Amino acid sequence: LTVDRHLRVKGVEDVWALGDCALSGCAPTAQAAFQQGTFLGRLFRDTKMDMAALQASEPFKFLNYGGLAYVGSSQGVADLKVRLWDEVDRRADHPAGGDTATIITGPGAFAIWRSLYFSKLLSSKNRFQVLFDWTNRAIFGREISTPFNQQAVADK
């Protein structure tokens, strides 16, 4: 759905869209959807759905905080739009400020990914289940079930 700068669906009145279904110029990521949801919630609360106030409100602006990816085998990639160490910005080959990013790869990025993932879980039940699953997988490994293995068992 194509949306305007206030996330209203173009060509339709009183309909808004966000996240993956909204063609808003943002990447279809959870980070963008979260910011869009926060924007719309505050917009509806502050304007009390008054159309004049909605028109006069500030448009949505996406703030990119970076990206995280799990790439398997306890490895990850992190592209963080924040400075983690002052020493990085003091190097002559690394300009300070602006759109600079801190890039981390390997187990450190995987640890950041897991920490952020865990912090976004809402209920204690989910946190316990995820922590148990991660611990179980670390101790016993992954359960692997493929059609090939199932066929070999069936032949015996």
Side-chain angles (χ1 to χ4, degrees):
L1 302 171
T2 305
V3 297
D4 65 12
R5 297 177 354 154
H6 291 92
L7 303 177
R8 290 178 299 215
V9 176
K10 290 183 177 179
V12 182
E13 286 191 35
D14 299 331
V15 178
W16 287 261
L18 61 101
D20 294 356
C21 69
L23 184 59
S24 64
C26 299
T29 62
Q31 181 182 163
F34 180 81
Q35 289 181 27
Q36 290 169 344
T38 302
F39 169 80
L40 284 177
R42 290 180 180 159
L43 181 71
F44 296 159
R45 178 196 64 201
D46 295 344
T47 62
K48 297 182 178 42
M49 299 299 291
D50 176 43
M51 287 314 233
L54 286 167
Q55 292 287 353
S57 66
E58 290 289 321
F60 172 73
K61 182 179 178 191
F62 174 66
L63 299 173
N64 184 7
Y65 294 111
L68 294 169
Y70 171 60
V71 293
S73 300
S74 298
Q75 302 290 312
V77 178
D79 174 18
L80 307 175
K81 303 294 182 189
V82 296
R83 291 182 289 182
L84 295 180
W85 303 280
D86 291 337
E87 290 77 27
V88 171
D89 286 330
R90 287 192 206 128
R91 293 188 332 210
D93 64 335
H94 192 289
D99 292 329
T100 60
T102 301
I103 308 292
I104 301 170
T105 60
F110 175 65
I112 293 170
W113 180 86
R114 276 224 166 152
S115 299
L116 185 63
Y117 181 90
F118 193 76
S119 72
K120 296 296 182 182
L121 296 173
L122 298 178
S123 71
S124 298
K125 177 184 175 188
N126 285 347
R127 286 183 180 206
F128 177 77
Q129 287 177 333
V130 167
L131 191 58
F132 179 77
D133 185 46
W134 287 349
T135 304
N136 190 22
R137 197 168 295 150
I139 294 170
F140 300 110
R142 273 194 186 278
E143 286 186 35
I144 298 177
S145 176
T146 63
F148 176 76
N149 290 342
Q150 292 173 358
Q151 184 62 40
V153 170
D155 290 341
K156 288 185 180 182

